[in-house]
Amino acid sequence: MKGETSWHAIAVALGLSGALLPAALLSAGPAFAQTAPTTRDGTTELPAVNVVDTSPLSGTGIDADKVPGAVTVISSDQFSRLFSFSTTDALFQYTPSANTTDVQGNAFFQDFRFRGFAASPLQGTPQGIAVYQNGIRVNEAFGDTVNWDLIPEVAINQADVFSNNPVFGLNALGGAVSIQMKNGFTYHGFEGSIQGGSFGQIGGSLQYGGEKDGFGVYIALDAVRDDGWRKQSSSELARIYADLGWKGDKAEVHLIASGASNALGVVGPTPVQMLAVDNSSIYTWPQTTNNDMGMLALNGRYDLTDTWQLQGNVYVRRFKQSHVDGNDAELDECSNTWNPGVGDTKMCLDAGDFNGPPGGGTPATNPQYAKFRGQMVLYDQNGNTVPFGELADGYLYGVINRTWTDTTTTGGSVQAVSTDKLLGHDNYFVVGGSLDYSTVNFKSSTELGITELPSLQVIGTGTYISNLPNYTLANGYQVFYTPVNLDATTTYYGLYATDAFDLTDRATLTMGARLNVAQISTSDASGVAPQLNGDYTFTRINPLIGLTYKITPNATAYAGYSESNRAPTPLELNCADPNRPCLLENSLVADPPLEQVVSHTYEAGLRGTGKLFDGDINWKLGIYRVDSDQDIISLASEQTGYGYYTNVPSTRREGFEAGFQYVNGPWKLYANYAYIDATFQFSGWLASPNNPVAVDGEVYVTPGDNMPGIPAQTLKVGADYMVTPKWMVGGDIIAASSQYYVGDEANQNAKLPGYWVANIRTTYQVTANVQIFGLVNNLFNESYATYGTYFDTGYLGLSNPQMQTPGQPLSAYAGVKATF
């Protein structure tokens, strides 16, 4: 465990010199009388969904049957049922059109994907899901990434997954996730748990909630250490969340503090030839990410009248990330053929064949040629050329790339909600606005390293390299290893209004719109890269219209159309030139501007409740199509580890989803199925340099080619059975069909195979206050992967360019939980 060091790092990230939480809050616990405890018995409650909030701010809410789109509500009991420290596990398991992509081989660093759009912690992944925690946007300002590891699962009261809804603002192309945390009015009692098991995992959590005389207090903390199922993939997490609230007849206010200090081993995909020998093997390392976050927020509501309510929040959030990435590198002795006059004792980067300089020519006839093709001379931090030396057998040259991101975000939002009747009919009207302002500093460096074989550890030499003398970004040079010091600001404004009007006692018409204004400014803080300077503004009004109709008292039909937009991020705006690619966790260069993405969503469906064999059932069926204009995708460069972002004219994601939940006596069951056809809707060449069938490093995409990395079908089923009033047994089966490797946009190669895994769990209530539990994941030890891509085989002399990130093998855990 990180112990005191972790909690101190949280306080530093929050910007406080003393304790993270006010002393009054920490000492308030004993003064609050506890009501009957809310226990977490390891089973999942499956109540009918009655009211949901259709905007990031929570308040009055609306009957879910009146929402003209898909809604999935995940309760705290459903989160706790999985005994997982990872928030994405429950989001994936209970949402029909959701899947996870584990690019890095770490349970705490996984993507959440919904209808083919991603909310990912990995820079380099184009994002398409807006994520909110207590009404506060948690997509990081620099790249719209979502660091799920910062959200303590134990403190989640409810998570709502919505299909496309423009009210959720920027980045809600495919949908939005709104997470509401617990407070002293929604959670009563004390709970402590500890668990451990496979791969050296040991972790635990504590939570307490209570209220008295209109005041409520809630505090939760958890910590876990896990060695990971792959080499060099250990993680340590420490998280805390606290809420001090007051509630009166007409008002409610919450002061919230949260923080996290996490160290994640994120080792990425491995060549399949290495996995065939050892499924836990990894490619070049170290690869680590450290995340520190602290946030203070004030949320509140006030009932202006019996039918008007005012809601709002203000917050400040500090996020710091450092990333270390050991990589292969095509470094060699310089050749006079490419660099006349340089000599053969200097080190060069084999840059590969990019577009040549104006005028073309050869190295002999065009002095600019060497800047664009072949080898590039490397310079150290003092502007001197780096000498080349032959390495002993068992060693290769490599690099260690480092990045540091420091972000401070302040913001707030306010909305008014009215339930006044309109023309004698029930009506639900929401109007509001938001402002989020972020300052970002991003730095990067590249250190020359030596890679040891066969471990593939890259060890730094202390020499920091650039392919340009004195780091001057002269016109025409391709930039790879140049250090970066970038300042950026993002200012996001939003104004929105929606109205749900009951045409009849069965039919509800919803109409609305949101104005998004994104202002982004980037500036070079190093003084040597003015190409990074830029100011951008993106503006759009996104409409929403939909209709719901109660066919019977227990069955509702819905249909809707909506639009959303996503502005390019500072990361993407400074990494969009195929001839000046970026190491996506590292250097940035000046690039042509990107266009904003606009999605058009059409959907319809049925949902309802009822009785089946004397049991209660909730069910839903839906179809959808999402057409995206100027979609942003990331592509690989010829230089290993490098890539860039680009707009493509059109993409489409369409599909079918179904789900049901069933409770009958001792039985609780659920099932979720989804089919998605995610395709490109244009013709053109896309870079894919390591694809074995690429032509000059590119593949030709035609309309209907499937987007890689998205399985067409997913199925998730589970059941719990109370053998006795104290003993529960249950389990889940998760299955996904095959998918194309990332880099196979033209669909010309074999797919990454589909997979299925079975998980089982059991709980036993020893006493009214003590429960023991156990679980086994991947019961049959299936060998599978959820992510595949290609790499340059030349570094190790391998023959198969396929890489995969292996999934978690057979693993078992056990623990004990006490509730009072």
Side-chain angles (χ1 to χ4, degrees):
M1 300 291 176
K2 288 186 174 182
E4 295 181 358
T5 302
S6 296
W7 302 118
H8 177 70
I10 294 171
V12 172
L14 188 60
L16 303 177
S17 59
L20 174 65
L21 301 175
L25 190 155
L26 290 174
S27 63
F32 288 86
Q34 297 181 14
T35 62
T38 302
T39 62
R40 298 172 65 182
D41 61 3
T43 63
T44 176
E45 295 298 330
L46 307 177
V49 177
N50 294 318
V51 175
V52 295
D53 293 295
T54 55
S55 66
L57 289 172
S58 60
T60 304
I62 189 174
D63 186 338
D65 271 347
K66 296 183 179 182
V67 177
V71 183
T72 298
V73 177
I74 305 167
S75 69
S76 61
D77 286 332
Q78 289 173 296
F79 277 95
S80 64
R81 172 181 179 267
L82 302 181
F83 301 106
S84 172
F85 292 94
S86 175
T87 299
T88 54
D89 285 349
L91 293 176
F92 156 66
Q93 200 145 315
Y94 301 120
T95 306
S97 287
N99 70 288
T100 55
T101 300
D102 190 356
V103 180
Q104 300 290 62
N106 187 303
F108 309 111
F109 205 82
Q110 295 184 354
D111 297 358
F112 171 74
R113 294 179 179 263
F114 177 63
R115 293 184 173 180
F117 293 90
S120 169
L122 183 65
Q123 287 185 12
T125 301
Q127 311 289 329
I129 303 292
V131 180
Y132 290 83
Q133 179 181 332
N134 283 348
I136 296 169
R137 189 174 188 268
V138 294
N139 296 79
E140 304 296 347
F142 189 57
D144 269 345
T145 53
V146 179
N147 293 289
W148 298 103
D149 62 290
L150 302 177
I151 303 174
E153 179 275 338
V154 67
I156 295 175
N157 186 58
Q158 179 175 301
D160 302 329
V161 182
F162 295 92
S163 59
N164 179 284
N165 183 344
V167 172
F168 285 91
L170 290 169
N171 217 52
L173 300 177
V177 178
S178 180
I179 298 173
Q180 297 89 46
M181 309 298 280
K182 297 173 182 174
N183 59 57
F185 305 119
T186 61
Y187 184 90
H188 297 158
F190 169 84
E191 178 189 282
S193 69
I194 186 170
Q195 69 183 68
S198 297
F199 312 113
Q201 184 186 99
I202 181 69
S205 65
L206 296 170
Q207 63 175 328
Y208 167 81
E211 62 175 301
K212 183 180 181 180
D213 298 332
F215 287 89
V217 66
Y218 176 81
I219 185 168
L221 55 90
D222 67 1
V224 60
R225 188 187 190 284
D226 193 311
D227 292 334
W229 60 86
R230 305 176 66 199
K231 299 173 182 176
Q232 306 300 325
S233 61
S234 62
S235 296
E236 295 184 10
L237 280 71
R239 304 177 291 202
I240 188 169
Y241 180 86
D243 181 300
L244 178 63
W246 173 83
K247 181 188 293 187
D249 292 337
K250 292 188 175 184
E252 185 173 345
V253 179
H254 293 267
L255 175 64
I256 297 168
S258 63
S261 183
N262 302 335
L264 307 170
V266 285
V267 290
T270 299
V272 294
Q273 287 177 272
M274 295 174 58
L275 293 174
V277 177
D278 181 357
N279 199 54
S280 67
S281 63
I282 60 175
Y283 200 41
T284 51
W285 61 283
Q287 292 189 43
T288 61
T289 296
N290 290 342
N291 290 332
D292 294 307
M293 182 276 295
M295 181 171 68
L296 283 172
L298 187 67
N299 293 352
R301 66 160 181 83
Y302 182 75
D303 295 334
L304 299 170
T305 69
D306 290 341
T307 58
W308 278 91
Q309 185 180 88
L310 189 66
Q311 305 156 3
N313 65 33
V314 292
Y315 71 95
V316 58
R317 184 176 184 269
R318 180 85 179 273
F319 171 67
K320 300 177 70 174
Q321 182 180 78
S322 61
H323 181 75
V324 179
D325 189 3
N327 279 308
D328 58 17
E330 297 184 20
L331 305 178
D332 208 344
E333 188 176 18
C334 295
S335 167
N336 275 315
T337 302
W338 295 103
N339 299 278
V342 170
D344 293 334
T345 60
K346 306 297 187 292
M347 182 174 289
C348 274
L349 166 67
D350 286 327
D353 237 2
F354 293 88
N355 292 335
T362 68
T365 62
N366 187 343
Q368 299 294 311
Y369 199 96
K371 300 175 184 178
F372 286 86
R373 294 178 178 269
Q375 296 181 324
M376 299 180 184
V377 182
L378 296 183
Y379 298 82
D380 65 17
Q381 60 264 42
N382 299 312
N384 302 315
T385 56
V386 178
F388 178 84
E390 292 289 346
L391 298 177
D393 290 344
Y395 296 90
L396 298 170
Y397 280 112
V399 293
I400 298 179
N401 300 291
R402 295 180 174 88
T403 67
W404 299 267
T405 307
D406 189 343
T407 305
T408 300
T409 302
T410 56
S413 56
V414 62
Q415 75 177 23
V417 178
S418 171
T419 56
D420 266 339
K421 288 184 179 294
L422 180 63
L423 302 177
H425 295 253
D426 287 344
N427 192 67
Y428 182 77
F429 174 71
V430 179
V431 60
S434 64
L435 169 64
D436 300 278
Y437 174 77
S438 299
T439 60
V440 183
N441 177 253
F442 174 84
K443 296 178 181 178
S444 72
S445 69
T446 300
E447 182 181 7
L448 178 65
I450 305 296
T451 304
E452 290 185 331
L453 301 178
S455 73
L456 293 177
Q457 179 182 7
V458 184
I459 301 172
T461 63
T463 297
Y464 290 83
I465 58 176
S466 167
N467 65 297
L468 295 171
N470 301 317
Y471 313 134
T472 303
L473 302 188
N475 230 357
Y477 275 96
Q478 291 172 350
V479 179
F480 290 97
Y481 294 141
T482 301
V484 168
N485 188 351
L486 178 76
D487 286 332
T489 62
T490 64
T491 308
Y492 298 148
Y493 303 92
L495 291 173
Y496 58 87
T498 64
D499 189 79
F501 176 68
D502 285 359
L503 299 171
T504 71
D505 59 353
R506 292 190 176 190
T508 300
L509 174 67
T510 298
M511 300 181 66
R514 174 165 175 139
L515 167 67
N516 289 325
V517 179
Q519 296 177 341
I520 301 170
S521 178
T522 61
S523 62
D524 169 47
S526 68
V528 297
Q531 296 90 338
L532 296 179
N533 298 335
D535 293 290
Y536 314 86
T537 299
F538 302 91
T539 303
R540 197 171 198 280
I541 296 176
N542 297 309
L544 162 69
I545 186 169
L547 181 70
T548 63
Y549 185 79
K550 274 193 171 296
I551 303 170
T552 72
N554 294 322
T556 300
Y558 67 86
Y561 171 78
S562 58
E563 298 178 5
S564 287
N565 74 303
R566 177 169 90 83
T569 65
L571 171 64
E572 293 166 337
L573 288 167
N574 286 283
C575 188
D577 189 339
N579 294 317
R580 298 165 70 84
C582 306
L583 189 63
L584 290 178
E585 291 278 7
N586 200 333
S587 298
L588 303 179
V589 295
D591 300 306
L594 293 171
E595 301 293 331
Q596 64 180 334
V597 186
V598 178
S599 67
H600 310 262
T601 298
Y602 313 80
E603 61 183 314
L606 298 167
R607 56 182 168 235
T609 61
K611 290 287 186 179
L612 181 65
F613 304 117
D614 296 324
D616 296 319
I617 184 171
N618 297 334
W619 57 271
K620 53 188 173 184
L621 304 169
I623 57 174
Y624 63 89
R625 171 183 285 183
V626 184
D627 291 327
S628 297
D629 302 328
Q630 298 297 328
D631 209 351
I632 295 175
I633 64 172
S634 61
L635 297 173
S637 163
E638 289 189 36
Q639 182 61 28
T640 300
Y642 280 74
Y644 62 96
Y645 298 94
T646 188
N647 289 114
V648 296
S650 180
T651 60
R652 174 173 294 165
R653 298 159 175 90
E654 58 186 354
F656 165 80
E657 55 198 17
F660 86 90
Q661 300 172 316
Y662 180 69
V663 177
N664 189 351
W667 285 100
K668 297 179 180 179
L669 304 93
Y670 77 92
N672 293 305
Y673 169 80
Y675 169 79
I676 180 171
D677 185 29
T679 58
F680 297 106
Q681 294 295 310
F682 69 97
S683 297
W685 292 94
L686 296 178
S688 184
N690 299 316
N691 188 320
V693 300
V695 178
D696 294 330
E698 295 183 322
V699 295
Y700 192 75
V701 172
T702 58
D705 285 339
N706 286 108
M707 302 176 71
I710 302 173
Q713 299 184 76
T714 55
L715 175 67
K716 296 159 282 189
V717 298
D720 292 334
Y721 179 69
M722 296 301 299
V723 181
T724 72
K726 294 184 177 182
W727 179 27
M728 185 278 296
V729 295
D732 309 276
I733 294 176
I734 300 168
S737 64
S738 59
Q739 58 185 280
Y740 287 101
Y741 281 74
V742 173
D744 190 17
E745 284 79 6
N747 304 168
Q748 296 174 296
N749 299 307
K751 293 182 176 182
L752 182 71
Y755 67 91
W756 72 277
V757 293
N759 309 316
I760 59 172
R761 61 187 58 81
T762 187
T763 64
Y764 186 80
Q765 204 70 33
V766 180
T767 70
N769 303 108
V770 178
Q771 179 190 89
I772 57 175
F773 59 88
L775 60 151
V776 178
N777 292 331
N778 197 356
L779 177 64
F780 301 105
N781 202 26
E782 293 291 319
S783 179
Y784 70 99
T786 65
Y787 180 81
T789 189
Y790 303 106
F791 79 112
D792 184 351
T793 58
Y795 192 65
L796 295 181
L798 299 175
S799 59
N800 190 337
Q802 293 178 335
M803 303 181 85
Q804 296 178 4
T805 304
Q808 184 174 3
L810 173 70
S811 51
Y813 307 91
V816 61
K817 179 166 59 178
T819 309
F820 299 95

